[in-house]
Amino acid sequence: MAMTDKTKGEATGMPTLHKIIFGVLLVALIALPFFVYPVFAMKVMCFALFAAAFNLLLGFGGLLSFGHAAYFGGASYVAAHAAKVWGLTPELAVLCGAAAAGLLGFVIGSLAIRRQGIYFAMVTLAFAQMVYFTALQADFTGGEDGIQGVPRGDLFGLFSLSDNLALYFFVLAVTFGGILLLYRIVHSPFGQVLKAIRENEPRAISLGYNVNRYKLIVFTLSATMAGVAGATKSQVFQLASLTDVHWSMSGEVVLMTLLGGMGTIFGPLVGAGIIVTMQNYLATFGAWVTIIQGVIFVIGVLMFREGIVGVLARWFKRPL
Amino acid sequence: MFELLGVPPQVLLGQLLLGLINGSFYAVLSLGLAVIFGLLNIINFAHGALYMAGAFVAWMLLNYLGIGYWPALIVAPLIVGVFGVVIERTMLSRLYHLDHLYGLLLTFGLALIIQGLFRNYYGISGLPYQIPAVLSGGQNLGFMFLPNYRAWVVVASVLVCFATWFAIEKTRLGAYLRAATENPTLVGAFGVNVPLMVMLTYGFGVALAGFAGVLAAPIYSVNPTMGEQLIIVVFAVVVIGGMGSIMGAIVTGYMLGIVEGLTRVFYPEGSAVVIFVIMAIVLMIKPEGLFGRTA
């Protein structure tokens, strides 16, 4: 997708503005659980990481995956299974989930990158549906019930995470770390090549870059980080369910990224915050949530393609 | 009675018929997608929702206005088609100058809205729709029982697919359409009203989805979620066939329906994913699709 790119000065490390924003964000997040329900805050953070991972692929790689629920939900199943059946500690369970998502992303990605544009989107969606059916039928996933009652375990086998506040800081460390890692990837030489491929693929090829290898790497990275988000979510809610692998979850992450601003650093975080908050407050209205999400999609595509952070970045003339 | 690999022929033929029926829906829906894609270059994510809307419109015509199945077979697709024209004029036409992915995102949003609205008003339990009297009952073929309505679904879908193929590949209007697919600017310069053609093409494509919905109404209960699973399978069908050719979309649709039916006989656990597995294999061997022209 063509997007304006105003990032400057990547070579000289993180711009001061970004440092300030990340700093303020971290302070706010440390204070947050004392003001809002920690589980809700953890949900927002998991989805923020999920959207940021998705944005790596769409916003910076220019690849629209319509099946990211497969990695998010797949990892949540694996992590839940690892924690419940294998009795692994939370950090190892999350790593297992992330590894599984990365592997799945590598396999699906290597097939999907054989097609471009809307075909790519359809292929990823179809494979994600295959993962959904597998989750529905396989033995270890528990079918319609999902995996329930996942124990929260002890971090490194030492610190109990059964308390919401303790778990909150674990989730904060994982998701914030994940988002910083994604930031680093975007601003690395690898990220620059990625943007070059997004802007002009034939030219990148003619410059000697193995475009497909870059696409596969970014796809796998994005799937892995989506997996970290999904695995963490399963530890928070002590549950892995079909909702996480359903196609509507793939749609939601697209919506979060679109609303917040594709190809921006902070957009997916803003988008995730808004959508999760909205779902929380409108949960009693049933299908209206779906309708409102659809309306946001339509309005977003028709007149608000830069997203919230995209507009702010244009106003302040700074990459955000 | 003969048996094939330990499977009684009744089961085999029954599943083959079921596969052929599913294939009929795959064919009509992927045909609509291919027609729309050819001229507009977008993937209509709302196709499943409009298929569902077609079934609901038929149900509403019957229950609110007393209009029966046969008129509904014409009227419901027309209503869905007009709705499609409105969508094209008010929304899609604003996106043609952008990346085609935006069309996908827009129609995805529309699908959410349409499905959500029907779910709000009609719930998800499904509404019954009677098989028309003429087509109730069935034929005993000796080796199996063939319900008349199911036979009609196959016949009707083949007729519609053939008519569409004929109109696009063999008529003068179809020639304009194919020319506009290749080069809309040049066709416009020859005095053909391309925007009008684009509008009608989208209307026709979604009317096909509405038609499939009316056909489906008596078989499956009329349900707001009836389109969402189906459309993803149809996407896989489209990837396998490639959207370059009209005939390709039709043939792939029927073929995959039958393959799915056979899988249900010999390996039931795999029937839900067999089409996706085939898609993976096709992507490995012939990424542009069986009938595709460009990658």
Side-chain angles (χ1 to χ4, degrees):
Chain A
M1 274 189 186
M3 258 150 282
T4 50
D5 190 52
K6 304 176 196 82
T7 17
K8 278 177 204 146
E10 278 98 348
T12 55
M14 196 189 282
T16 319
L17 180 63
H18 290 182
K19 275 184 192 152
I20 294 171
I21 296 175
F22 273 124
V24 170
L25 194 63
L26 185 61
V27 172
L29 285 172
I30 290 173
L32 194 62
F34 302 102
F35 296 98
V36 304
Y37 183 48
V39 173
F40 168 72
M42 287 189 273
K43 187 179 179 189
V44 172
M45 290 193 293
C46 289
F47 276 99
L49 177 61
F50 184 24
F54 177 79
N55 186 44
L56 173 69
L57 189 63
L58 174 62
F60 299 101
L63 298 168
L64 173 59
S65 157
F66 230 98
H68 251 48
Y71 319 112
F72 183 77
S76 92
Y77 273 109
V78 172
H81 186 77
K84 191 179 178 185
V85 180
W86 299 338
L88 293 186
T89 52
E91 76 285 355
L92 291 178
V94 169
L95 280 179
C96 278
L103 188 66
L104 192 63
F106 179 80
V107 173
I108 294 180
S110 58
L111 289 166
I113 56 168
R114 288 162 170 263
R115 301 299 297 266
Q116 273 105 39
I118 47 180
Y119 279 103
F120 181 88
M122 286 194 289
V123 168
T124 47
L125 174 63
F127 279 127
Q129 190 71 357
M130 190 169 157
V131 173
Y132 173 81
F133 279 125
T134 311
L136 188 63
Q137 292 177 342
D139 291 326
F140 87 97
T141 53
E144 300 272 353
D145 299 332
I147 304 178
Q148 298 179 356
V150 179
R152 276 187 176 174
D154 300 334
L155 184 65
F156 305 118
L158 297 172
F159 312 105
S160 167
L161 293 184
S162 52
D163 177 47
N164 271 344
L165 209 57
L167 185 67
Y168 178 87
F169 286 102
F170 169 66
V171 173
L172 175 61
V174 170
T175 51
F176 204 81
I179 287 166
L180 285 179
L181 178 65
L182 287 166
Y183 183 92
R184 189 70 202 87
I185 293 171
V186 166
H187 295 88
S188 68
F190 171 80
Q192 299 301 314
V193 177
L194 220 53
K195 284 178 212 160
I197 295 171
R198 179 190 75 196
E199 295 301 327
N200 195 336
E201 189 171 330
R203 191 156 180 190
I205 295 171
S206 74
L207 286 170
Y209 289 109
N210 186 343
V211 168
N212 275 349
R213 185 190 291 164
Y214 277 91
K215 283 186 183 173
L216 183 55
I217 293 174
V218 73
F219 196 93
T220 310
L221 281 173
S222 173
T224 311
M225 296 312 288
V228 173
T232 311
K233 179 171 174 267
S234 76
Q235 305 298 304
V236 174
F237 288 90
Q238 302 179 272
L239 170 78
S241 73
L242 287 172
T243 319
D244 296 337
V245 273
H246 195 247
W247 58 265
S248 53
M249 183 63 79
S250 302
E252 265 170 37
V253 76
V254 181
L255 181 60
M256 289 169 187
T257 310
L258 180 71
L259 179 65
M262 284 185 280
T264 63
I265 297 293
F266 300 101
L269 317 186
V270 174
I274 294 174
I275 297 293
V276 174
T277 309
M278 189 194 84
Q279 285 169 342
N280 207 41
Y281 285 106
L282 297 180
T284 46
F285 291 96
W288 281 106
V289 177
T290 321
I291 298 172
I292 293 170
Q293 287 185 347
V295 171
I296 299 176
F297 247 112
V298 170
I299 293 174
V301 169
L302 285 178
M303 10 193 196
F304 200 57
R305 285 183 289 273
E306 293 170 295
I308 295 167
V309 174
V311 170
L312 290 176
R314 183 156 51 84
W315 281 353
F316 294 115
K317 298 191 174 63
R318 293 269 189 289
L320 287 172
Chain B
M1 271 309 219
F2 65 96
E3 287 200 354
L4 188 72
L5 299 170
V7 176
Q10 288 89 341
V11 174
L12 184 65
L13 290 167
Q15 290 297 345
L16 263 184
L17 177 68
L18 210 64
L20 197 57
I21 297 204
N22 281 340
S24 305
F25 292 119
Y26 296 161
V28 176
L29 290 174
S30 62
L31 172 65
L33 284 180
V35 169
I36 292 171
F37 178 78
L39 202 54
L40 283 78
N41 262 315
I42 62 156
I43 269 294
N44 186 30
F45 216 119
H47 220 65
L50 292 166
Y51 156 84
M52 177 268 291
F56 263 102
V57 170
W59 184 89
M60 288 179 203
L61 287 173
L62 183 69
N63 287 279
Y64 300 151
L65 302 174
I67 296 174
Y69 177 83
W70 297 105
L73 209 49
I74 308 289
V75 177
L78 273 179
I79 292 174
V80 174
V82 169
F83 183 61
V85 165
V86 173
I87 292 174
E88 198 278 336
R89 274 298 90 193
T90 54
M91 299 178 206
L92 280 175
S93 58
R94 296 160 188 262
L95 299 177
Y96 293 146
H97 63 286
L98 297 167
D99 194 300
H100 301 314
L101 290 173
Y102 283 111
L104 178 78
L105 295 179
L106 179 85
T107 49
F108 179 77
L110 289 173
L112 290 182
I113 297 173
I114 298 168
Q115 268 165 20
L117 284 175
F118 278 106
R119 232 171 72 192
N120 258 359
Y121 290 105
Y122 295 98
I124 50 165
S125 48
L127 306 163
Y129 191 95
Q130 283 289 315
I131 292 177
V134 191
L135 293 173
S136 59
Q139 307 296 323
N140 195 342
L141 302 178
F143 53 88
M144 68 173 288
F145 181 77
L146 176 66
N148 286 339
Y149 187 78
R150 304 205 165 207
W152 155 249
V153 167
V154 177
V155 172
S157 71
V158 170
L159 284 177
V160 165
C161 286
F162 178 78
T164 308
W165 171 82
F166 187 84
I168 291 176
E169 299 289 340
K170 301 290 171 196
T171 65
R172 195 172 175 79
L173 185 69
Y176 286 148
L177 205 73
R178 280 176 288 133
T181 305
E182 296 291 329
N183 192 336
T185 320
L186 198 60
V187 174
F190 281 126
V192 177
N193 189 342
V194 175
L196 178 74
M197 210 153 72
V198 169
M199 180 183 95
L200 293 178
T201 302
Y202 188 78
F204 177 73
V206 301
L208 278 177
F211 178 78
V214 185
L215 278 186
I219 299 187
Y220 313 113
S221 67
V222 179
N223 194 314
T225 57
M226 66 194 282
E228 61 181 49
Q229 304 280 350
L230 186 64
I231 193 61
I232 301 177
V233 178
V234 172
F235 279 176
V237 171
V238 162
V239 172
I240 293 168
M243 280 186 294
S245 101
I246 296 295
M247 197 44 115
I250 300 170
V251 171
T252 317
Y254 285 108
M255 207 171 62
L256 288 171
I258 292 170
V259 169
E260 201 182 37
L262 286 178
T263 315
R264 210 171 286 122
V265 178
F266 294 107
Y267 184 60
E269 297 82 9
S271 61
V273 295
V274 63
I275 290 185
F276 303 124
V277 173
I278 294 176
M279 183 181 83
I281 296 169
V282 168
L283 283 171
M284 277 189 268
I285 299 168
K286 198 169 182 295
E288 68 276 17
L290 297 178
F291 298 89
R293 283 178 302 190
T294 48

